[in-house]
Amino acid sequence: MEVGDIIQGLATLGLGAIITKLIDYATTRRREQRESQGKAWEERDREARARRILEEYAHKLRRNLFRRGAKEGPGEDDVAPWPDYHTTKE
């Protein structure tokens, strides 16, 4: 075995290790991104669920007020109009 063959063998082994490390890094990074995105979607779903619960509760309160004779209007003793909001950006 000549010196050139030894150097070539060492270079091949070193390059293989570098490529292996790069692949490991890329797969680890991608897995972390997927987990992060999954957690973000879970958080969004929790917040949306909480908003729906609050909206349902506000609706029940308004219904009870109207049943008891309250009216919708701008006055201090009136029930404020339901807020107008949009789900998309304008």
Side-chain angles (χ1 to χ4, degrees):
M1 192 181 260
E2 294 182 9
V3 176
D5 292 335
I6 295 173
I7 292 174
Q8 184 179 6
L10 292 174
T12 303
L13 290 175
L15 185 59
I18 290 171
I19 290 173
T20 303
K21 291 285 186 185
L22 287 174
I23 291 172
D24 287 344
Y25 174 76
T27 56
T28 301
R29 177 89 170 143
R30 181 65 184 134
R31 186 179 327 110
E32 290 171 353
Q33 287 176 345
R34 267 196 319 267
E35 290 172 0
S36 175
Q37 289 172 353
K39 290 177 184 176
W41 281 105
E42 290 172 9
E43 179 65 23
R44 183 195 63 92
D45 291 343
R46 272 194 301 276
E47 291 175 1
R49 191 175 312 115
R51 273 193 309 275
R52 283 192 302 272
I53 290 169
L54 289 173
E55 286 178 356
E56 289 173 10
Y57 183 69
H59 179 69
K60 289 177 185 178
L61 290 177
R62 287 174 60 86
R63 241 184 16 222
N64 283 335
L65 287 170
F66 292 138
R67 284 184 187 153
R68 295 173 191 259
K71 60 181 179 166
E72 187 176 58
E76 187 174 308
D77 293 332
D78 296 335
V79 177
W82 194 260
D84 183 30
Y85 63 94
H86 301 281
T87 57
T88 59
K89 292 182 180 179
E90 291 185 21

